[in-house]
Amino acid sequence: MRMERTLSIIKPDAVGRGLIGEVIRRLEENNLKIVALKMVCMTKAQAQGFYAVHKERPFFDSLTDFMSSGPAVVMVLEGENVIARYRELMGATNYREAAEGTIRREFATDIEKNVVHGSDAAATAAFEIAYFFNSFEIVG
Ligand code: GDP
């Protein structure tokens, strides 16, 4: 068994559309344990830092504008194999390719405005969690 933590973000599109409760309900329904949670309003610079791995991508400017366009909810999830389990629940980046029943398939409106973020590996999760939370803000 692999105990892991991952960073989840309910992106500004979803917060603006009143989907915080819906996303959290799905996390709880799927036994993805929330061990930290808060609301943030990223500046453009903070969004650029968070997505620095994508800085050469053509969509970097648009993505960081979007991520700094309004409040987002950031959470730490913890559990066995939680990185992959949460990515499965989110669905593919492009909601048109996401599996039926996934969060992105059901709620995303655009490849960019795709409702949720989830870390893709243990090393990125460690970076992303530390980007938003100090150890006192994570329970358990
Ligand atoms: P993720 O791990 O599934 O979130 O996907 P990536 O790490 O590849 O991309 C990060 C985020 O950038 C995605 O969640 C989207 O919000 C956005 N994104 C990815 N691909 C595109 C694209 O082709 N165009 C635009 N505008 N945004 C994209």
Side-chain angles (χ1 to χ4, degrees):
M1 94 175 179
R2 236 177 36 237
M3 257 329 211
E4 293 175 335
R5 284 178 175 173
T6 193
L7 185 83
S8 163
I9 304 180
I10 305 176
K11 295 184 179 184
D13 60 328
V15 173
R17 290 165 61 206
L19 293 173
I20 297 173
E22 177 65 30
V23 173
I24 291 177
R25 188 186 67 74
R26 283 165 183 252
L27 296 177
E28 292 185 331
E29 192 175 76
N30 287 277
N31 297 312
L32 296 182
K33 187 180 171 196
I34 301 166
V35 294
L37 181 154
K38 65 185 170 188
M39 190 171 256
V40 298
C41 246
M42 275 185 257
T43 63
K44 174 87 171 170
Q46 285 167 335
Q48 288 168 329
F50 181 74
Y51 277 120
V53 291
H54 290 319
K55 63 178 184 294
E56 306 302 336
R57 302 281 198 98
F59 57 81
F60 182 67
D61 194 50
S62 169
L63 173 62
T64 53
D65 273 347
F66 162 54
M67 291 301 286
S68 59
S69 67
V73 172
V74 289
M75 293 175 276
V76 179
L77 311 179
E78 184 178 80
E80 281 173 45
N81 210 21
V82 73
I83 295 172
R85 283 167 58 216
Y86 175 51
R87 283 189 72 89
E88 197 175 315
L89 191 66
M90 287 196 304
T93 309
N94 184 346
Y95 72 101
R96 294 172 198 272
E97 290 161 11
E100 287 292 342
T102 59
I103 294 171
R104 283 168 165 172
R105 176 63 172 254
E106 295 206 5
F107 299 106
T109 52
D110 187 284
I111 189 166
E112 183 175 275
K113 294 174 182 61
N114 60 2
V115 182
V116 280
H117 167 84
S119 311
D120 64 0
T124 25
F127 166 79
E128 292 178 357
I129 290 168
Y131 200 79
F132 290 106
F133 294 97
N134 67 50
S135 59
F136 301 105
E137 296 175 302
I138 302 171
V139 302

CSV table of all heavy atoms in Angstrom, one decimal, residues 11 51 54 59 63 87 93 104 111-112 114, ligand 1:
chain,number,residue,atom,x,y,z
A,11,LYS,N,-11.0,24.9,-9.5
A,11,LYS,CA,-10.5,26.1,-10.3
A,11,LYS,C,-11.6,27.2,-10.3
A,11,LYS,O,-12.8,27.0,-10.0
A,11,LYS,CB,-10.2,25.7,-11.7
A,11,LYS,CG,-9.0,24.7,-11.8
A,11,LYS,CD,-8.6,24.4,-13.2
A,11,LYS,CE,-7.4,23.4,-13.3
A,11,LYS,NZ,-7.0,23.2,-14.7
A,51,TYR,N,2.3,27.0,-12.3
A,51,TYR,CA,2.4,26.3,-13.6
A,51,TYR,C,3.7,26.6,-14.3
A,51,TYR,O,3.7,26.4,-15.5
A,51,TYR,CB,1.2,26.8,-14.4
A,51,TYR,CG,-0.1,26.1,-14.1
A,51,TYR,CD1,-1.2,26.7,-13.7
A,51,TYR,CD2,-0.2,24.7,-14.3
A,51,TYR,CE1,-2.4,26.1,-13.5
A,51,TYR,CE2,-1.4,24.0,-14.0
A,51,TYR,CZ,-2.5,24.7,-13.6
A,51,TYR,OH,-3.7,24.0,-13.4
A,54,HIS,N,4.8,24.7,-17.3
A,54,HIS,CA,4.2,24.9,-18.6
A,54,HIS,C,4.6,26.2,-19.3
A,54,HIS,O,3.9,26.7,-20.2
A,54,HIS,CB,2.7,24.9,-18.4
A,54,HIS,CG,2.1,23.5,-18.1
A,54,HIS,ND1,2.5,22.4,-18.7
A,54,HIS,CD2,1.1,23.2,-17.3
A,54,HIS,CE1,1.8,21.4,-18.3
A,54,HIS,NE2,1.0,21.8,-17.3
A,59,PHE,N,-0.4,28.0,-24.3
A,59,PHE,CA,-1.5,28.4,-23.5
A,59,PHE,C,-1.2,29.0,-22.2
A,59,PHE,O,-2.0,29.2,-21.3
A,59,PHE,CB,-2.5,27.2,-23.4
A,59,PHE,CG,-1.9,26.0,-22.8
A,59,PHE,CD1,-1.8,25.8,-21.5
A,59,PHE,CD2,-1.5,24.9,-23.6
A,59,PHE,CE1,-1.2,24.7,-20.9
A,59,PHE,CE2,-1.0,23.8,-23.1
A,59,PHE,CZ,-0.8,23.6,-21.7
A,63,LEU,N,-3.8,30.4,-19.5
A,63,LEU,CA,-4.0,29.5,-18.3
A,63,LEU,C,-3.7,30.3,-17.0
A,63,LEU,O,-4.5,30.2,-16.1
A,63,LEU,CB,-3.0,28.3,-18.4
A,63,LEU,CG,-3.0,27.4,-17.2
A,63,LEU,CD1,-4.4,26.8,-16.9
A,63,LEU,CD2,-2.0,26.3,-17.3
A,87,ARG,N,-7.0,11.5,-10.0
A,87,ARG,CA,-6.9,11.8,-11.4
A,87,ARG,C,-7.9,11.0,-12.2
A,87,ARG,O,-8.5,11.5,-13.2
A,87,ARG,CB,-5.5,11.6,-12.0
A,87,ARG,CG,-4.5,12.7,-11.6
A,87,ARG,CD,-3.2,12.7,-12.3
A,87,ARG,NE,-3.3,13.0,-13.7
A,87,ARG,CZ,-3.1,14.2,-14.2
A,87,ARG,NH1,-3.0,15.3,-13.4
A,87,ARG,NH2,-3.1,14.4,-15.5
A,93,THR,N,-7.6,15.7,-19.2
A,93,THR,CA,-7.5,17.2,-19.3
A,93,THR,C,-8.5,17.7,-20.2
A,93,THR,O,-9.2,18.7,-19.9
A,93,THR,CB,-6.1,17.5,-19.9
A,93,THR,OG1,-5.1,16.8,-19.1
A,93,THR,CG2,-5.8,19.0,-19.8
A,104,ARG,N,-14.6,16.2,-14.9
A,104,ARG,CA,-14.4,17.0,-16.1
A,104,ARG,C,-15.4,16.7,-17.2
A,104,ARG,O,-15.9,17.6,-17.8
A,104,ARG,CB,-12.9,16.9,-16.6
A,104,ARG,CG,-12.0,17.7,-15.7
A,104,ARG,CD,-10.5,17.3,-16.0
A,104,ARG,NE,-9.6,18.2,-15.4
A,104,ARG,CZ,-8.3,18.0,-15.4
A,104,ARG,NH1,-7.8,16.9,-16.0
A,104,ARG,NH2,-7.4,18.9,-14.9
A,111,ILE,N,-11.2,23.1,-22.7
A,111,ILE,CA,-10.0,22.3,-22.3
A,111,ILE,C,-9.2,23.1,-21.2
A,111,ILE,O,-8.6,22.4,-20.4
A,111,ILE,CB,-9.0,22.1,-23.5
A,111,ILE,CG1,-7.9,21.1,-23.1
A,111,ILE,CG2,-8.5,23.4,-24.1
A,111,ILE,CD1,-7.1,20.5,-24.3
A,112,GLU,N,-9.4,24.4,-21.1
A,112,GLU,CA,-8.7,25.2,-20.1
A,112,GLU,C,-9.6,25.2,-18.8
A,112,GLU,O,-9.1,25.0,-17.7
A,112,GLU,CB,-8.4,26.6,-20.6
A,112,GLU,CG,-7.6,27.4,-19.6
A,112,GLU,CD,-7.3,28.7,-20.3
A,112,GLU,OE1,-6.2,28.8,-21.0
A,112,GLU,OE2,-8.0,29.7,-20.2
A,114,ASN,N,-11.4,23.6,-17.0
A,114,ASN,CA,-11.8,22.2,-16.8
A,114,ASN,C,-12.0,21.8,-15.3
A,114,ASN,O,-11.8,20.7,-14.9
A,114,ASN,CB,-10.8,21.3,-17.4
A,114,ASN,CG,-9.4,21.5,-16.9
A,114,ASN,OD1,-9.2,22.3,-16.0
A,114,ASN,ND2,-8.4,20.7,-17.5
B,1,GDP,P1,-3.8,18.3,-16.2
B,1,GDP,O1,-2.7,17.7,-15.4
B,1,GDP,O2,-4.9,17.3,-16.6
B,1,GDP,O3,-4.4,19.5,-15.4
B,1,GDP,O4,-3.2,18.9,-17.6
B,1,GDP,P2,-1.8,19.7,-17.9
B,1,GDP,O5,-0.9,19.6,-16.8
B,1,GDP,O6,-1.4,19.1,-19.2
B,1,GDP,O7,-2.3,21.2,-18.2
B,1,GDP,C1,-2.6,22.0,-17.1
B,1,GDP,C2,-3.8,22.8,-17.4
B,1,GDP,O8,-3.6,23.7,-18.5
B,1,GDP,C3,-5.0,22.0,-17.8
B,1,GDP,O9,-5.7,21.5,-16.7
B,1,GDP,C4,-5.9,23.0,-18.5
B,1,GDP,O10,-6.5,23.9,-17.6
B,1,GDP,C5,-4.8,23.8,-19.2
B,1,GDP,N1,-4.6,23.3,-20.6
B,1,GDP,C6,-4.0,22.1,-21.0
B,1,GDP,N2,-4.0,22.0,-22.3
B,1,GDP,C7,-4.5,23.1,-22.8
B,1,GDP,C8,-4.6,23.6,-24.1
B,1,GDP,O11,-4.3,23.0,-25.1
B,1,GDP,N3,-5.2,24.9,-24.2
B,1,GDP,C9,-5.5,25.6,-23.2
B,1,GDP,N4,-6.0,26.9,-23.4
B,1,GDP,N5,-5.3,25.2,-21.9
B,1,GDP,C10,-4.8,24.0,-21.7
